[in-house]
Amino acid sequence: MEKEVVWNNYTKKDKTELEKLAKGYREYLDKGKTERECVTESVKLAEAKGYVNLEEVIASGKKLKAGDKVYAICMKKAVALFNLGSRSMEDGMAILGAHIDSPRMDLKQNPLYEDTGLAFLDTHYYGGIKKYQWVTIPLAIHGVVAKKDGTVVDVVIGEDKNDPVFCVTDLLIHLSGEQMEKKGAKVVEGEALDILFGSIPLKGKEKDAVKEGVLAILKEKYDMEEDDFLSAELEVVPAGEARDCGIDKSMVIGYGQDDRVCAYTSLVAMLEVEKTEKTTCCLLVDKEEIGSVGATGMQSRFFENTVAEILDRMGQFSELSLRRCLSNSRMLSSDVSAAYDPAYASVFEKKNTAYFGKGIVFNKYTGARGKSGSNDANAEYLGRIRQMLEKHKVAFQTSELGKVDAGGGGTIAYIMSLYGMEVIDSGVAVLSMHAPWEVTSKADLYEAKKGYAAFLKEA
């Protein structure tokens, strides 16, 4: 059952559409390096296609009907889009769900300190990372500072060509004999991931003069005091733009492709598919990388509450209608899969892994070591998915996340399956997953968008 690489099957029109999609995707990656930025950009694209804020609908007392398009935002870090179909909501929805958070480093609440004439920012890493990958690369700071007077200041430093960038230092090879003897997890410790922030002392200051110097800059540029760090959300991410990768420009390299490659293709498919019988939904959530916890993660009631509000605005709400709507829905949990890498062949099982250029990937189950923590999709559901994809000529492949005892991972699929709905994991294969720079195939990007659109039309 070996799948073929799809590049040679593309027409000139296909390649034009593929490059247009890839260009938009690179721009989305550049504009959305945090979950807040992803929500902002997603809403901007949705509003251009006629979507309106559900809060405004509720405040105005308006009713909703088939053909209406609305979105809801949760704390500026998660967003759900709905295109209301002609059939009753009790018949369920076709849902595309992805996450928009990515591994990174977050500034601690009391991060700034000086040591021997250098100013640093202390961090706490977020999600699963190889810590040694984050040293000596150019870094940027993105986020918000919420001040005591209620104002919120947006911060982006390190992306403009005139901006400075930051870094985590590393030990020179000449003195690293002891360091090189350590296991990979210990080569760089979490508490050593401190950001080099400045080195010029403030004139006239004797104690912590460099720290005072950078605080003076923060005051001038952002009207920010040191204690404003207490109510800030500042994320440290790789600086720089996503780029074409490979001499043939067949791939994209950039930060945060897990899981924004699936978020973007889901969003584009959602905005592309206009009239449907079933209500369609694109759900982009936060906190997947740390267990989908918190108010903006998939384990919160944000999605359920939003569906209840929509039913109410349609004059259809009851607790039973809400339960029927959720249990009768079908979902693609749009998340990435590990691409086969011949440099690390020992952890992959070749017959059951994902390959670049062979289309959208389906993981019937994820989990680790005996499917622990997995949503194991029904065979019948996967059969219907295959039928949809073949009807719309979408290239697809199936995969597991490495060899049985090699590791594993999870997605938001198991959480949504608690409603009793049909859910399966699907997405794009990624090389160097969770590294500061990840790589995807443009062909897989294109097939994912096609696959998501087919699902919204047929589910």
Side-chain angles (χ1 to χ4, degrees), residues 27 41 57 70 78 88 115 126 142 193 254 295 330 340 424-425:
E27 292 174 354
E41 186 62 17
V57 172
V70 296
S88 169
D115 191 340
Y126 173 99
H142 291 234
L193 292 175
R330 292 172 179 165
Y340 179 78
I424 191 170
D425 285 298

Side-chain angles (χ1 to χ4, degrees), residues 20 39 81 163 166 250 266 276 294 307 309 313 320 334 360-361 405 416 419 432:
K20 181 180 178 181
V39 167
L81 289 77
D163 281 351
F166 311 98
S250 61
S266 295
T276 59
V307 175
E309 293 282 8
R313 287 296 89 201
L320 183 57
S334 307
I360 186 173
V361 183
D405 288 330
M416 297 297 278
Y419 291 115
S432 303

Side-chain angles (χ1 to χ4, degrees), residues 261-397:
V261 65
C262 295
Y264 181 73
T265 46
S266 295
L267 177 65
V268 170
M270 180 72 181
L271 301 181
E272 179 183 288
V273 177
E274 290 286 344
K275 293 184 179 180
T276 59
E277 290 187 3
K278 268 192 172 183
T279 293
T280 58
C281 171
C282 178
L283 177 61
L284 308 178
V285 294
D286 183 24
K287 298 293 190 290
E288 191 275 345
E289 296 293 359
I290 58 170
S292 296
V293 294
T296 55
M298 195 64 252
Q299 294 194 54
S300 79
R301 295 292 179 89
F302 161 63
F303 174 68
E304 182 179 328
N305 292 345
T306 302
V307 175
E309 293 282 8
I310 290 173
L311 285 167
D312 182 65
R313 287 296 89 201
M314 298 182 79
Q316 299 176 12
F317 177 77
S318 71
E319 186 66 20
L320 183 57
S321 292
L322 175 61
R323 296 300 150 201
R324 285 174 175 169
C325 174
L326 294 172
S327 65
N328 289 328
S329 293
R330 292 172 179 165
M331 178 184 181
L332 296 184
S333 173
S334 307
D335 209 337
V336 298
S337 191
Y340 179 78
D341 188 338
Y344 304 98
S346 63
V347 297
F348 295 94
E349 197 267 280
K350 282 190 172 183
K351 299 190 306 299
N352 290 285
T353 195
Y355 296 87
F356 265 19
K358 294 190 177 183
I360 186 173
V361 183
F362 285 84
N363 291 71
K364 185 178 184 296
Y365 46 82
T366 54
R369 297 180 179 86
K371 300 184 180 180
S372 177
S374 170
N375 168 68
D376 199 342
N378 289 337
E380 294 87 348
Y381 186 42
L382 186 51
R384 288 195 294 269
I385 296 292
R386 289 173 59 200
Q387 184 183 46
M388 294 176 200
L389 299 174
E390 289 177 6
K391 177 180 176 180
H392 290 269
K393 296 181 171 56
V394 178
F396 72 96
Q397 54 185 320

Side-chain angles (χ1 to χ4, degrees), residues 409-442:
T411 68
I412 64 172
Y414 77 97
I415 302 169
M416 297 297 278
S417 69
L418 296 176
Y419 291 115
M421 69 175 69
E422 296 274 24
V423 185
I424 191 170
D425 285 298
S426 68
V428 175
V430 178
L431 283 173
S432 303
M433 190 192 300
H434 279 221
W437 297 96
E438 300 166 310
V439 184
T440 55
S441 165
K442 291 181 181 179

Side-chain angles (χ1 to χ4, degrees), residues 57-328:
V57 172
I58 295 169
S60 68
K62 291 181 181 178
K63 294 294 183 180
L64 291 173
K65 63 184 184 306
D68 287 342
K69 296 182 285 188
V70 296
Y71 67 85
I73 297 172
C74 182
M75 299 183 181
K76 301 181 181 180
K77 298 180 188 178
V79 61
L81 289 77
F82 298 84
N83 184 359
L84 303 183
S86 56
R87 287 171 59 176
S88 169
M89 289 279 284
E90 285 195 10
D91 292 337
M93 299 174 285
I95 305 169
L96 300 174
H99 69 90
I100 49 177
D101 62 315
S102 293
R104 60 179 189 261
M105 295 182 290
D106 290 339
L107 295 192
K108 292 185 178 181
Q109 289 183 288
N110 184 23
L112 181 59
Y113 69 95
E114 179 178 337
D115 191 340
T116 58
L118 298 174
F120 294 91
L121 294 174
D122 204 358
T123 72
H124 192 135
Y125 64 91
Y126 173 99
I129 67 171
K130 292 180 177 179
K131 297 183 285 291
Y132 62 79
Q133 293 179 331
W134 287 76
V135 301
T136 72
I137 64 171
L139 298 168
I141 299 174
H142 291 234
V144 296
V145 178
K147 298 196 286 186
K148 288 183 292 187
D149 63 4
T151 59
V152 178
V153 179
D154 292 319
V155 175
V156 178
I157 313 172
E159 301 294 355
D160 186 271
K161 66 179 181 180
N162 295 316
D163 281 351
V165 294
F166 311 98
C167 73
V168 177
T169 61
D170 195 10
L171 185 61
L172 67 161
I173 188 64
H174 309 73
L175 300 178
S176 62
E178 184 178 338
Q179 181 193 45
M180 297 295 284
E181 295 297 321
K182 295 179 179 180
K183 292 183 177 181
K186 297 289 186 179
V187 169
V188 177
E189 301 276 2
E191 288 294 350
L193 292 175
D194 292 357
I195 307 302
L196 185 59
F197 200 53
S199 65
I200 298 178
L202 185 64
K203 190 173 182 179
K205 295 287 183 177
E206 293 185 5
K207 183 180 179 182
D208 290 340
V210 175
K211 176 182 174 181
E212 293 295 332
V214 299
L215 283 172
I217 294 171
L218 292 175
K219 178 67 175 177
E220 179 185 354
K221 288 185 176 291
Y222 300 103
D223 192 26
M224 179 181 173
E225 308 287 348
E226 183 176 7
D227 65 356
D228 288 329
F229 280 114
L230 296 175
S231 52
E233 290 180 1
L234 296 171
E235 303 178 12
V236 181
V237 299
E241 298 179 345
R243 302 282 297 273
D244 283 341
C245 182
I247 192 67
D248 53 7
K249 299 184 178 181
S250 61
M251 298 165 286
V252 173
I253 185 169
Y255 165 69
Q257 298 200 68
D258 175 9
D259 183 35
R260 291 168 191 147
V261 65
C262 295
Y264 181 73
T265 46
S266 295
L267 177 65
V268 170
M270 180 72 181
L271 301 181
E272 179 183 288
V273 177
E274 290 286 344
K275 293 184 179 180
T276 59
E277 290 187 3
K278 268 192 172 183
T279 293
T280 58
C281 171
C282 178
L283 177 61
L284 308 178
V285 294
D286 183 24
K287 298 293 190 290
E288 191 275 345
E289 296 293 359
I290 58 170
S292 296
V293 294
T296 55
M298 195 64 252
Q299 294 194 54
S300 79
R301 295 292 179 89
F302 161 63
F303 174 68
E304 182 179 328
N305 292 345
T306 302
V307 175
E309 293 282 8
I310 290 173
L311 285 167
D312 182 65
R313 287 296 89 201
M314 298 182 79
Q316 299 176 12
F317 177 77
S318 71
E319 186 66 20
L320 183 57
S321 292
L322 175 61
R323 296 300 150 201
R324 285 174 175 169
C325 174
L326 294 172
S327 65
N328 289 328

